Amino acid sequence: MRIEEPKILAALPELGVELQREVSLAELTYLGIGGTTDLLRIQKHEAIPDLLKLLDEQGVAHKFLGGGSNLLVVDGELPFVVLQLVKGEPEITLDGNIATVDAAADLGRTVTFCAKNNLGGMEGLIGVPGTVGGALRMNAGAYGTQIGSYVREVKVYRAAQRKIEFLHGEQISFEYRHTSFAPDDMMLAVKLELPSKPYPEILQGIRICNEKRRSSQPLGQKSAGCIFKNPPGGSAGRMIDELGLKGFSHGDARVSERHANFFVNAGQASAADMLALIADVRERVQQAYGVTLENEVVVWNA
Ligand SMILES: Cc1cc2nc3c(=O)[nH]c(=O)nc-3n(C[C@H](O)[C@H](O)[C@H](O)COP(=O)(O)OP(=O)(O)OC[C@H]3O[C@@H](n4cnc5c(N)ncnc54)[C@H](O)[C@@H]3O)c2cc1C
């Protein structure tokens, strides 16, 4: 979608919002798939209520991009524009055991920065790519850790109220890859309360998690991490593997040989290839186990 509305174009400089024309989402997502649209880069949180009011008034559909590590975007000219936060300065500040982190900050760098300051707990999240905002939205987790466990407060733009609010951790429910935020709420910053731990001990935990990831995931290939959520008490990867589907493909979209719940773009996969593979594998699992797998990957198709 190309922003043509003069009212929006005139307001962007004043709001401190940078407009990038016709960006390719294939270049902004880890799967390397997706069409083109205009990108609005937001420098100041305070500009968001006015910006979104303007977009809504002018009928410009929009979606919110973090680091692009959990997204499958359709091809062609996209029927929405994309909003992205520019990192604040500083990205992280510490006050005792509380880390205040900008939503645009890189999650891995946040984990290591806190570790170097003897704040642990998030070792399991070390290899999860993307931003802190994306991790909050998805309640990212790995190896027994989930980000929601450490959330003390979230600064969030609440679309329904059209204003920025601060929510206490207890006001938000964090479940397995799901949170109680409304779909159009936008995470802006978070206060994490982290346990004190000596750096060498945290580093040891980080190394163990890195090693587990390296030995089980196709890290050099384009993917969005796990495609499906694990069903209650089960493992999507194990079911797909048991059906002999490692290496199964539609075009260049392929079930990883390394981890059956990672689907990779092995070349020039289109969104249609990846969606067909997802639908096919879901159907086979449904037939064999009577379980309907739910997407963990977020699909942007309209
Ligand atoms: C190799 C690999 C390994 C992975 N391993 C794991 C893992 O172990 N555990 C795990 O949980 N995930 C894993 N993932 C998936 C992914 O990294 C996480 O879901 C991550 O938290 C997504 O963050 P992001 O910033 O990239 O979000 P994006 O992919 O950009 O967006 C994902 C969703 O969050 C929304 N969003 C992003 N930022 C914000 C914001 N500030 N406010 C509101 N909504 C927002 C988007 O609109 C979208 O709906 C993996 C991915 C890859 C590629």
Side-chain angles (χ1 to χ4, degrees):
M1 173 181 262
R2 190 177 165 84
I3 299 178
E4 305 284 11
E5 294 74 7
K7 211 171 163 190
I8 301 178
L9 295 175
L12 294 180
E14 206 176 299
L15 293 171
V17 176
E18 182 202 349
L19 169 60
Q20 292 183 9
R21 290 289 192 191
E22 291 177 48
V23 299
S24 159
L25 267 290
E27 284 165 24
L28 295 180
T29 55
Y30 280 60
L31 259 179
I33 296 174
T36 55
T37 190
D38 283 356
L39 173 70
L40 295 172
R41 304 249 306 148
I42 302 166
Q43 324 265 353
K44 297 178 291 181
H45 295 168
E46 293 63 38
I48 292 171
D50 286 344
L51 174 65
L52 291 195
K53 185 163 181 273
L54 201 52
L55 294 178
D56 289 344
E57 278 170 3
Q58 302 290 314
V60 175
H62 47 79
K63 296 204 184 279
F64 200 72
L65 176 71
S69 64
N70 202 39
L71 286 174
L72 168 56
V73 184
V74 291
D75 294 310
E77 191 182 340
L78 301 170
F80 49 81
V81 299
V82 170
L83 314 181
Q84 193 178 39
L85 292 173
V86 174
K87 266 182 253 186
E89 277 291 331
E91 284 172 65
I92 311 176
T93 53
L94 297 180
D95 179 10
N97 286 62
I98 304 287
T100 302
V101 192
D102 201 272
D106 179 82
L107 178 63
R109 276 210 303 277
T110 302
V111 175
T112 38
F113 179 89
C114 292
K116 284 179 185 162
N117 287 280
N118 303 305
L119 293 176
M122 297 197 292
E123 293 86 330
L125 297 176
I126 189 65
V128 179
T131 62
V132 167
L136 287 170
R137 154 66 66 203
M138 303 302 303
N139 189 21
Y143 308 121
T145 309
Q146 54 171 20
I147 193 165
S149 309
Y150 300 101
V151 171
R152 170 99 174 250
E153 183 185 87
V154 178
K155 181 182 181 188
V156 55
Y157 169 75
R158 306 222 85 186
Q161 287 79 21
R162 288 202 180 279
K163 61 177 187 189
I164 293 173
E165 290 181 2
F166 291 85
L167 297 184
H168 289 288
E170 310 84 65
Q171 293 176 268
I172 310 159
S173 100
F174 288 99
E175 290 151 40
Y176 171 59
R177 303 300 172 271
H178 183 265
T179 61
S180 54
F181 294 111
D184 44 4
D185 283 350
M186 199 184 285
M187 288 4 107
L188 304 178
V190 62
K191 281 190 198 306
L192 299 168
E193 185 167 8
L194 301 167
S196 299
K197 251 193 207 182
Y199 179 49
E201 204 181 301
I202 304 173
L203 197 57
Q204 177 68 5
I206 285 177
R207 287 197 176 124
I208 291 170
C209 293
N210 273 337
E211 190 39 47
K212 281 189 193 161
R213 237 171 235 283
R214 264 196 297 271
S215 63
S216 63
Q217 298 180 2
L219 296 187
Q221 289 182 282
K222 292 179 182 169
S223 84
C226 287
I227 286 289
F228 300 113
K229 294 182 187 180
N230 287 321
S235 157
R238 192 165 340 106
M239 290 191 278
I240 300 167
D241 194 3
E242 280 171 5
L243 292 175
L245 294 175
K246 278 184 170 171
F248 179 58
S249 62
H250 276 253
D252 275 342
R254 183 173 305 157
V255 177
S256 162
E257 301 278 2
R258 213 140 215 259
H259 189 312
N261 199 13
F262 276 55
F263 293 7
V264 300
N265 172 2
Q268 303 295 318
S270 64
D273 292 335
M274 194 54 81
L275 288 168
L277 183 63
I278 292 171
D280 198 343
V281 171
R282 177 182 284 119
E283 177 63 27
R284 287 165 190 252
V285 169
Q286 167 69 44
Q287 294 287 331
Y289 296 93
V291 171
T292 307
L293 294 176
E294 204 186 310
N295 280 1
E296 178 166 331
V297 67
V298 175
V299 179
W300 282 358
N301 47 16

